[in-house]
Amino acid sequence: MSQNKKAVITILGMSGVKQNKVADKCLYTIDGKTIENYNIFPTLIKKYSPEYKIEPLYTKEAKQAQEIVLEAEGIKNIVFDDQRGLLDDVNDFEAVFSTIDKIMTRYDEVIVDVSHGFRHLPILMIVDLIIQNFQDTSKIRNILFAKEIIQFKEYEIIDLKEYLDLANISFVLTTFEKNYTVASHIKSQKYKKLLQKLNDFSNDLMALNIGNLKKTAKELFDEL
């Protein structure tokens, strides 16, 4: 059996560098452990590499800034592949989406970081995740974001993945409310039981299975 291909996709910005030199380090808390680094990029590398391949997306300016950070951290195993990750024109949304999608399709499991990306790029990344993974979010393990605790000093890494699952469930419930059918193409590991109860109730209702309908209705109500 082939091993799952896993990656951390992160959008690089200019944080951690000031006037072509590294700035002060910040505290990043991830999974209950606090790490001191110049920004989240080396934090992700230290936590997930080499189990996950690090796939940065970046502008030329962000690449130059983060090369300074990596040198200060003594990290030498990260290779910037401009054919894969360089964003020549951040205002060319189609090209940005294409770059994200090409990287996403290479892997079976991804962790996406949108903490310090350039201007609108984190928003584009999240929009693309919603569009491309609306049917099944199982490929996406986490959507990481650095929540500011103390400005420029301390951050907590939180997971936004749940909101992607909620978007799917909201669609399912809206459809169900209108016609009592379940959008079968929607999948969610977290809400798997709810989807099953919705489907059971829908099947009994459509088949006029009155004898079983009271049971499935109660199970659905309890799950909701």
Side-chain angles (χ1 to χ4, degrees):
M1 178 181 288
S2 60
Q3 189 175 10
N4 280 358
K5 295 181 179 180
K6 301 189 288 187
V8 173
I9 304 173
T10 180
I11 307 174
L12 304 184
M14 304 297 292
S15 64
V17 175
K18 188 175 182 180
Q19 297 178 343
N20 293 323
K21 294 182 180 180
V22 285
D24 295 334
K25 287 190 174 184
C26 299
L27 296 177
Y28 290 90
T29 300
I30 182 168
D31 292 340
K33 182 178 180 181
T34 300
I35 305 172
E36 188 177 41
N37 276 318
Y38 294 106
N39 61 37
I40 195 174
F41 189 35
T43 304
L44 296 174
I45 295 170
K46 293 175 183 179
K47 178 171 177 60
Y48 293 109
S49 179
E51 181 183 0
Y52 287 77
K53 181 173 176 58
I54 308 300
E55 289 274 13
L57 300 173
Y58 49 87
T59 62
K60 291 180 180 178
E61 294 77 13
K63 174 185 175 181
Q64 292 169 357
Q66 299 315 312
E67 284 177 333
I68 294 173
V69 169
L70 295 183
E71 183 178 0
E73 288 281 356
I75 297 174
K76 301 179 180 180
N77 63 328
I78 300 300
V79 177
F80 290 95
D81 185 345
D82 291 350
Q83 295 297 318
R84 291 160 75 103
L86 179 62
L87 303 173
D88 287 312
D89 183 0
V90 295
N91 292 315
D92 185 347
F93 291 0
E94 185 175 346
V96 172
F97 284 138
S98 177
T99 299
I100 295 171
D101 292 342
K102 285 177 182 177
I103 292 178
M104 288 282 292
T105 55
R106 293 188 177 104
Y107 298 97
D108 304 305
E109 178 184 320
V110 296
I111 295 173
V112 179
D113 166 58
V114 294
S115 297
H116 298 315
F118 179 78
R119 292 205 313 247
H120 52 274
L121 291 180
I123 297 175
L124 292 183
M125 171 68 88
I126 291 176
V127 169
D128 191 68
L129 292 178
I130 292 173
I131 294 171
Q132 297 299 327
N133 298 277
F134 189 69
Q135 295 184 4
D136 185 1
T137 62
S138 60
K139 174 185 282 194
I140 305 168
R141 175 182 160 183
N142 305 106
I143 303 174
L144 303 181
F145 176 73
K147 177 183 177 182
E148 190 173 73
I149 306 301
I150 301 176
Q151 190 175 29
F152 306 131
K153 291 184 179 181
E154 185 176 347
Y155 299 85
E156 177 188 0
I157 309 304
I158 61 174
D159 187 6
L160 303 178
K161 165 69 186 301
E162 181 175 357
Y163 296 102
L164 201 58
D165 286 320
L166 286 173
N168 278 0
I169 291 302
S170 295
F171 175 80
V172 169
L173 293 177
T174 299
T175 303
F176 186 81
E177 183 182 24
K178 290 180 178 179
N179 55 27
Y180 297 111
T181 60
V182 180
S184 59
H185 64 284
I186 299 293
K187 299 178 183 178
S188 171
Q189 193 62 35
K190 180 168 182 174
Y191 297 103
K192 183 177 180 180
K193 190 174 179 181
L194 174 58
L195 291 173
Q196 183 60 54
K197 296 305 178 185
L198 284 167
N199 193 62
D200 290 344
F201 177 81
S202 176
N203 289 339
D204 284 341
L205 185 63
M206 295 298 111
L208 296 178
N209 188 355
I210 306 301
N212 206 46
L213 191 58
K214 182 181 290 188
K215 173 178 175 291
T216 53
K218 182 181 184 306
E219 290 176 349
L220 173 59
F221 180 81
D222 291 343
E223 187 61 29
L224 286 168

